[in-house]
Amino acid sequence: MNMRTIYDLPLSKAEEMLAGYGQKPYRAKQLYNWLYRKRALSFAEMSDLPAALTQQLAEVYCTMPVTLLDKQVARDRTAKYLFELSDGSTIETVLMHFNFGKSVCVSSQVGCNMGCAFCASGLLKKQRDLTAGEMVGQIMYIQKELDAEGERVDNVVVMGTGEPFDNYDNVLDFCSIINSDHGLSIGARHITISTCGIVPSIRRFAEGHYQYNLAISLHAPNDELRRELMPVDRAYPLDELMDALRSYSEDNHRRLTFEYILLKGVNDSDEHAVQLADLIRGMNAYVNLIPYNEVDENGFKTTDERTSLRFYDLIMKHGVKATLRSKHGDDIDAACGQLRARHERNRE
Ligand code: SAH
């Protein structure tokens, strides 16, 4: 059955919805308490809400919008979840255990249309946007698992399948729901949205003065190469992108993260490192160098460790801060979209 999930509603929209049932605004906080603090999965157990109301809600809304189809756990405990949605679509979510806490990587769309050459998500075109509640569901499913261990989701990154800034309103609703003090209260600085560089959405985000972190998938320091790897560069070339990012970062006093996957022989030369440093130097930003998770279908290879370190040293020497990320879950289908792509192939 295709029911809406109650997780779709930010607190203000929950208040409006409940007003439609003749309820006072404080009822929305009670509802949030049941959903996000007590992690209730049925309306019937919400004992301080009027029984007539919980019955009405149960007729219109479901709670958990995802069901588990498959789960792979790597040696380093990175866990990849394959979920099914109410319409039969499938999405992936990843849980990573860092020493600074547990991070969940959520998907924002079913498939993706950005067409980045190296990415497994793009193997399956976008079917639709996820609703805010379908993103919240990914967090709540994993949070309920972690409850058994007395643990919590500390950090959320919107870096799974999909382009969050191609689903702007739902993604921002999602952030507001998980950030709410009446719910999970995941701090805004613990929530990161990653975009391939959709300039109008970056400008809109800047105007909203949100405290969420922004990460940019750069992956190339010049338009010629970036266009080959990321079709989005044709619509929004680097000068426009950097201009929007500079004004976002300056107006909001926020530090930016640039993600840069190292692809062997493609974007990892000394010249690329210097170009990259020249592009970013002077901005309140740092570069996160990411080892590439190889995908069988496309032929891109991971840069070896020595070259990665050399690249890292060079950009640091040229005045740009960087981190070299270690690999997670590389003994499972951890690359974005890999698990789902395999599953969908098996279905055919
Ligand atoms: N569309 C958004 C968010 C999803 S992709 C974006 O582009 O930022 C999240 C990050 O994973 C991006 O930086 C993306 O380029 C990177 N990525 C995609 N495939 C990868 C792979 N096989 N190995 C490592 N990183 C990958």
Side-chain angles (χ1 to χ4, degrees):
M1 198 174 14
N2 249 330
M3 264 182 148
R4 281 194 66 186
T5 166
I6 192 78
Y7 293 157
D8 276 336
L9 303 178
L11 193 64
S12 58
K13 290 187 190 165
E15 285 173 0
E16 277 168 37
M17 179 277 287
L18 288 166
Y21 291 99
Q23 300 293 333
K24 297 247 157 58
Y26 77 93
R27 291 292 189 198
K29 289 178 189 143
Q30 286 180 313
L31 177 66
Y32 256 51
N33 192 44
W34 280 105
L35 291 173
Y36 301 117
R37 296 276 173 87
K38 299 190 177 164
R39 335 258 206 240
L41 288 180
S42 75
F43 293 100
E45 66 191 279
M46 302 182 179
S47 50
D48 57 1
L49 293 177
L53 175 66
T54 55
Q55 274 164 24
Q56 285 167 319
L57 291 178
E59 279 165 25
V60 182
Y61 296 101
C62 67
T63 54
M64 187 64 78
V66 305
T67 51
L68 188 68
L69 285 184
D70 192 7
K71 181 178 170 184
Q72 294 183 346
V73 183
R75 280 187 293 274
D76 65 7
R77 290 168 68 220
T78 298
K80 188 137 194 173
Y81 300 75
L82 182 72
F83 289 122
E84 187 170 45
L85 305 173
S86 61
D87 66 350
S89 307
T90 58
I91 53 166
E92 290 179 0
T93 311
V94 181
L95 167 65
M96 288 160 291
H97 303 265
F98 293 107
N99 48 19
F100 55 83
K102 316 248 173 248
S103 294
V104 175
C105 176
V106 303
S107 290
S108 57
Q109 295 177 321
V110 180
C112 183
N113 275 346
M114 296 301 119
C116 299
F118 46 80
C119 179
S121 297
L123 294 172
L124 301 163
K125 289 281 153 240
K126 176 172 110 177
Q127 286 161 16
R128 66 175 176 88
D129 290 330
L130 294 189
T131 70
E134 287 169 333
M135 291 178 256
V136 174
Q138 299 171 59
I139 303 290
M140 291 306 292
Y141 187 97
I142 292 173
Q143 181 57 64
K144 282 193 72 74
E145 264 192 9
L146 290 176
D147 283 341
E149 302 162 31
E151 300 280 1
R152 60 166 286 171
V153 174
D154 301 290
N155 300 289
V156 172
V157 295
V158 190
M159 290 189 188
T161 299
E163 169 47 48
F165 275 180
D166 181 38
N167 184 16
Y168 187 92
D169 292 323
N170 292 347
V171 167
L172 269 289
D173 274 358
F174 159 68
C175 293
S176 132
I177 295 164
I178 61 170
N179 176 233
S180 169
D181 287 339
H182 300 283
L184 291 171
S185 57
I186 298 174
R189 307 257 170 148
H190 292 262
I191 299 172
T192 301
I193 301 173
S194 175
T195 178
C196 64
I198 305 211
V199 168
S201 299
I202 293 171
R203 295 209 181 275
R204 206 175 146 194
F205 185 72
E207 281 158 22
H209 302 293
Y210 298 103
Q211 297 298 304
Y212 313 122
N213 303 311
L214 186 61
I216 314 300
S217 297
L218 200 61
H219 307 327
N222 62 64
D223 282 316
E224 199 187 340
L225 178 59
R226 195 162 190 269
R227 219 165 284 159
E228 265 176 49
L229 297 174
M230 303 176 70
V232 69
D233 189 86
R234 278 177 222 145
Y236 307 111
L238 279 174
D239 56 349
E240 278 180 42
L241 175 62
M242 299 308 283
D243 191 51
L245 291 172
R246 245 177 245 114
S247 39
Y248 158 77
S249 166
E250 283 162 19
D251 296 351
N252 291 280
H253 309 287
R254 297 309 313 272
R255 186 159 83 148
L256 287 163
T257 306
F258 287 99
E259 296 159 272
Y260 195 97
I261 311 175
L262 288 165
L263 300 164
K264 192 185 177 86
V266 175
N267 66 356
D268 62 353
S269 71
D270 290 358
E271 197 190 342
H272 291 129
V274 175
Q275 276 183 11
L276 179 62
D278 287 346
L279 192 66
I280 292 173
R281 197 170 37 250
M283 290 175 80
N284 182 12
Y286 76 100
V287 177
N288 193 355
L289 296 170
I290 305 170
Y292 180 58
N293 261 312
E294 289 177 13
V295 176
D296 294 339
E297 285 82 352
N298 62 28
F300 288 102
K301 296 275 175 246
T302 315
T303 299
D304 59 71
E305 218 172 301
R306 232 180 98 234
T307 314
S308 303
L309 275 170
R310 186 185 164 89
F311 196 93
Y312 167 85
D313 282 341
L314 257 175
I315 48 181
M316 294 280 278
K317 266 194 204 113
H318 282 80
V320 171
K321 286 201 191 73
T323 54
L324 187 55
R325 206 197 277 173
S326 59
K327 261 194 161 179
H328 284 270
D330 54 356
D331 54 330
I332 57 174
D333 290 328
C336 311
Q338 265 185 341
L339 181 59
R340 176 168 175 260
R342 189 166 54 78
H343 178 85
E344 294 293 313
R345 269 198 304 271
N346 292 342
R347 263 189 178 182
E348 278 161 14

